[in-house]
């Protein structure tokens, strides 16, 4: 069984895929959802990742896919 938090991340990823009219859920959708999640955001920030830059890049990739 997966945690409620992880389940929420996957539900959001599926919503992102559907909003972009993508047939498949991909790792990019999941990663973008993780970037939007408070806990995921916190973990990635602790790794010194520029969240805004990565989020913008993933959003652009999803839009052109």
């Amino acid at each position: 069984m997966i945690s409620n938090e992880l389940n929420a991340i996957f539900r959001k990823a599926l919503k992102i895929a559907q909003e972009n009219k993508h047939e498949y859920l991909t790792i990019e959708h999941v990663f973008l959802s993780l970037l939007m999640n408070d806990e995921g955001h916190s973990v990635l920030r602790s790794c010194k990742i520029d969240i805004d830059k990565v989020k913008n890049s993933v959003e652009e990739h999803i839009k052109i896919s």
Side-chain angles (χ1 to χ4, degrees):
M1 185 165 141
I2 62 173
S3 73
N4 290 336
E5 192 72 27
L6 185 56
N7 191 30
I9 289 169
F10 280 120
R11 282 195 319 268
K12 177 66 176 171
L14 185 57
K15 184 177 178 184
I16 293 167
Q18 290 170 338
E19 288 171 349
N20 286 278
K21 300 186 182 346
H22 294 161
E23 186 174 355
Y24 299 104
L25 178 67
T26 66
I27 193 68
E28 290 86 357
H29 299 113
V30 176
F31 188 52
L32 182 56
S33 178
L34 185 65
L35 288 165
M36 296 174 167
N37 177 277
D38 289 338
E39 284 187 43
H41 195 268
S42 174
V43 169
L44 294 168
R45 190 176 331 117
S46 72
C47 296
K48 308 283 191 242
I49 291 176
D50 183 342
I51 302 294
D52 292 330
K53 183 177 179 180
V54 172
K55 184 175 177 264
N56 289 336
S57 293
V58 174
E59 286 175 334
E60 281 301 310
H61 175 76
I62 286 174
K63 287 179 185 175
I64 63 171
S65 294

